[in-house]
Amino acid sequence: MDLQDQLKKLFPDHEPSNEPEAIEEQHHELFVQKEPMICKYEKRKGKPTTIISGYEGEDEDFKILAKEIKSKLAVGGSFKDGEIIIQGDYRDKIMKILQDKGFKTKRVGG
């Protein structure tokens, strides 16, 4: 007994449709805040890292932003405790990406 037979037993009046479902792609708008985002440089375990913090929007938006930055720079990184942590010193490039998106940035450290 396959899945179609099981479904017919559960829902005898249902007529299956062969039309594909229309999936709408929604363009996600990031929340652009008034306060500047902090872009700072730190050494963690002897390795350079760039840390972006100070985002006031949803965590999900910040994760999307982190993924976009990592893919544009082709570097590793993570999102942890409301901060984006990027491997390497990419402050200038990250600040340029954020400013192009309409964010205000503030450079901290070095």
Side-chain angles (χ1 to χ4, degrees):
M1 180 179 283
D2 69 339
L3 183 62
Q4 294 294 333
D5 295 334
Q6 291 175 3
L7 288 172
K8 280 198 189 303
K9 283 185 179 181
L10 286 171
F11 307 102
D13 299 335
H14 178 71
E15 289 295 321
S17 167
N18 291 333
E19 295 177 21
E21 286 186 35
I23 300 171
E24 289 184 32
E25 279 193 39
Q26 294 180 349
H27 182 67
H28 190 76
E29 282 293 319
L30 292 173
F31 169 74
V32 179
Q33 62 198 31
K34 301 255 186 279
E35 293 298 311
M37 290 173 60
I38 307 297
C39 193
K40 63 184 173 183
Y41 169 78
E42 273 184 22
K43 279 202 171 199
R44 293 191 174 183
K45 298 180 184 171
K47 296 181 180 170
T49 57
T50 304
I51 298 160
I52 303 145
S53 60
Y55 187 66
E56 298 169 355
E58 294 290 320
D59 274 358
E60 205 56 45
D61 290 350
F62 209 31
K63 286 179 185 177
I64 292 168
L65 192 60
K67 188 174 182 180
E68 192 173 316
I69 289 170
K70 290 190 300 184
S71 65
K72 278 189 179 179
L73 297 176
V75 294
S78 65
F79 175 83
K80 207 183 291 181
D81 301 328
E83 294 181 329
I84 299 173
I85 302 162
I86 303 291
Q87 297 172 355
D89 184 7
Y90 292 99
R91 281 177 295 183
D92 296 329
K93 291 179 182 178
I94 291 171
M95 287 171 65
K96 174 87 172 96
I97 291 169
L98 291 174
Q99 287 166 358
D100 289 345
K101 290 191 155 299
F103 290 100
K104 292 178 185 166
T105 57
K106 185 175 182 181
R107 185 182 175 121
V108 176

